């Protein structure tokens, strides 16, 4: 069966109409890529330490983040792309002073996450 083009409306993935925050799973589009859009204006906020059984790619669109990936910790800024290998614990927080906006690409058709803290 040949794949077909598809369009997701913002109302189908976004949690708010004016902020890039929400997600969609690739299984609904017939693809092995799921995407999370993350935005926070709160300094120090971010997801808790966790891991996935698949690779993840983080695109920093705006702001600064402190990343922990395995035993490495580093600052990432707008325009940088971070690679997180499968099964490696990771987390990030907004360093401020402004909003952090990211697009996280999960190389899977559905989200799976094991929280570690």
């Amino acid at each position: 069966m040949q794949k077909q083009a598809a369009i997701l409306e913002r109302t189908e993935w976004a949690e708010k109409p004016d902020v890039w925050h929400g997600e969609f799973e690739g299984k609904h589009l017939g693809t092995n890529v799921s995407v999370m859009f993350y935005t926070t204006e709160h300094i120090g906020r971010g997801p808790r330490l966790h891991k996935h059984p698949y690779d993840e790619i983080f695109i920093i669109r705006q702001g600064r983040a402190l990343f922990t990936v395995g035993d490495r910790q580093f600052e990432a800024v707008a325009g940088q792309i971070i690679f997180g290998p499968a099964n490696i614990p990771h987390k990030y927080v907004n360093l401020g002073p402004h909003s952090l906006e990211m697009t996280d690409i999960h190389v899977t058709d559905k989200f799976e996450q094991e929280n570690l803290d």
Side-chain angles (χ1 to χ4, degrees), residues 14-116:
E15 293 179 16
K16 299 178 183 177
D18 58 344
V19 177
W20 281 83
H21 196 93
E23 62 188 37
F24 68 87
E25 292 184 314
K27 67 182 179 181
H28 301 296
L29 299 173
T31 187
N32 290 325
V33 174
S34 297
V35 178
M36 179 180 297
F37 302 99
Y38 181 82
T39 300
T40 185
E41 60 188 26
H42 301 286
I43 297 171
R45 178 145 325 152
R48 61 200 288 187
L49 187 68
H50 64 279
K51 65 181 180 176
H52 310 283
Y54 48 78
D55 294 338
E56 185 173 5
I57 299 162
F58 307 91
I59 302 169
I60 316 303
R61 296 180 43 150
Q62 179 181 7
R64 299 179 322 131
L66 179 63
F67 269 82
T68 302
V69 180
D71 59 0
R72 290 189 60 198
Q73 193 171 59
F74 50 90
E75 182 178 331
V77 298
Q80 291 183 314
I81 298 172
I82 311 300
F83 173 66
N87 297 307
I88 302 296
H90 59 276
K91 66 179 181 177
Y92 55 85
V93 297
N94 181 11
L95 286 175
H98 305 291
S99 292
L100 172 64
E101 185 177 301
M102 297 178 38
T103 301
D104 302 345
I105 300 169
H106 295 241
V107 185
T108 183
D109 68 338
K110 64 181 174 18
F111 294 113
E112 293 182 55
Q113 178 170 308
E114 180 183 347
N115 292 323
L116 300 172

